[in-house]
Amino acid sequence: MSEIRNTTNKYKDFAYSDDITKLLTVELSNKDKKKLHITYSNYYNLGVSRGYEYIIEDIFKLSEIHKLTTSQLSLIYDTGVRNIQIWLKELGLNRSIKKAKKINKKNFHTDIEFNSDKNSNSNNLTLINKFGIEILESKNLPQSLSSFLDYLETIKGKSPNTIKAYEIDLSLFFKFLKVYKGLVTDTDLEFEEIDIKDINNDFIRNIKLTDIYAFLSFSEKQRGNGTYARARKVAALKSYFKYLQGKAKIIDENPTFDLESPKISKRHPIYLTLDESINLLSSLDKKSKNYHRDYCILTLFLNCGMRLSELCGIRLDKIKGDTLTIIGKGNKERTVYLNDACLKAIENYLKFRDDSKALPEDKEYLLLSSRFKPINKRTVELLVKKHITNSGLENEKYTPHKLRHTAATLLYKHGNVDIRSLQSILGHENISTTQIYTHVDEEILREAANSNPLSKL
């Protein structure tokens, strides 16, 4: 397989269309100049060379001043949306999901059209479609892959996170294949810049199981993917080729039919004991301005076994008495029953919750950050880590997901909750996922061992 260089001179003396050039003539305010200075600092702090080095100021103007979306930028610079996202993240220009949605929504209703020069040939690209229909080619994906992702969303009802994960894995697969089969000749090209739009049905029909094995080997040895990451890639490939054979009727033979998923060794879940859980809750500093909020978060984790995303998405109008309706994995709605401890924690928090500076749409969420925004997952991860350390446990393995394990373990071990009920409480689609908690009653195993008639010899 040929070597792919990490840098490119593709954007040195990059030729823009007249429309884009007009956008780049904008004058920067002092505030914008300070932001641009920070942007350059972020680049230099990377300590590595990037191909977009020559167009940093242009990227800043287009993304920060003109608020162009990542899809629009990908068309201008003839690269994938994922690559643009990486650029913006490295430069500190990445947007929150909420902000990105607002930009997309706003730009959807404009009729701006401008050109993007590629190899000195000006192609008129309509970056905004005034009819609100996303043009398939703008995704920079093979048509069959775009159709598959649409199928996952509209027919299978998969969550945005799942769809994005499949898109990333399958795009990586096609980029690998183009290199593996010797179809990439530009040695100045970055791996993320490999164009896969031209992959057609004939190319797909010629994919063999051996090609997939080579990709999985590449994922493990070159990209450092562990068992779980490779298993996810296998799942994405099997689902994609199943769709191509059964729904799209593009292939007659499915190359993943005999493909096995990497064996994942089942490990006991890491969890807090009952005493450790009580100690954690009692260790919070009552003088802290966020005491009632953080106590509420930990109480909900330890009693309800919610996922992190589920907790951050709790809305006030979904709390009815002792029931809470949440949207779980796969966009599935389920009901969580709140015990007295949860109801009391929520009530106490709402007495002290300051939403005076929150936007009306943000006030609808139960948990707010210090910036009066719905609390995000990273904030919760950090506060859980802080309180775990302060409680004396000092175990980096205790994440919000481990608190979910704790709730499940306490319910099964001390609450005598049967496995089927536990499956429903946790929102597991498959009961085999829930069965990892059946190991936890060590006392029964200890008594069984001691009951051996030879144990007293």
Side-chain angles (χ1 to χ4, degrees), residues 1-2 175-183 210-211 214-215:
M1 186 166 59
S2 60
K175 289 173 183 178
F176 163 81
L177 283 185
K178 290 197 71 171
V179 178
Y180 184 66
K181 293 180 178 291
L183 301 178
T210 52
D211 298 327
F215 169 64

Side-chain angles (χ1 to χ4, degrees), residues 402-445:
K402 301 313 185 249
L403 297 186
R404 172 172 158 86
H405 287 327
T406 298
T409 302
L410 294 178
L411 284 169
Y412 185 82
K413 184 175 181 179
H414 298 282
N416 297 318
V417 176
D418 64 84
I419 195 70
R420 286 291 179 184
S421 298
L422 190 59
Q423 177 190 7
S424 178
I425 291 170
L426 296 175
H428 285 160
E429 185 174 4
N430 195 320
I431 197 169
S432 63
T433 309
T434 319
Q435 285 173 339
I436 64 172
Y437 298 105
T438 59
H439 80 284
V440 298
D441 212 339
E442 295 97 342
E443 291 302 320
I444 294 177
L445 299 178

Side-chain angles (χ1 to χ4, degrees), residues 301 305-312 326 328-329 334 401 404 426-429:
F301 270 137
M306 295 180 190
R307 297 181 177 93
L308 177 56
S309 59
E310 295 169 349
L311 179 127
C312 293
I326 59 177
K329 194 173 181 180
R334 81 173 190 275
H401 199 70
R404 172 172 158 86
L426 296 175
H428 285 160
E429 185 174 4

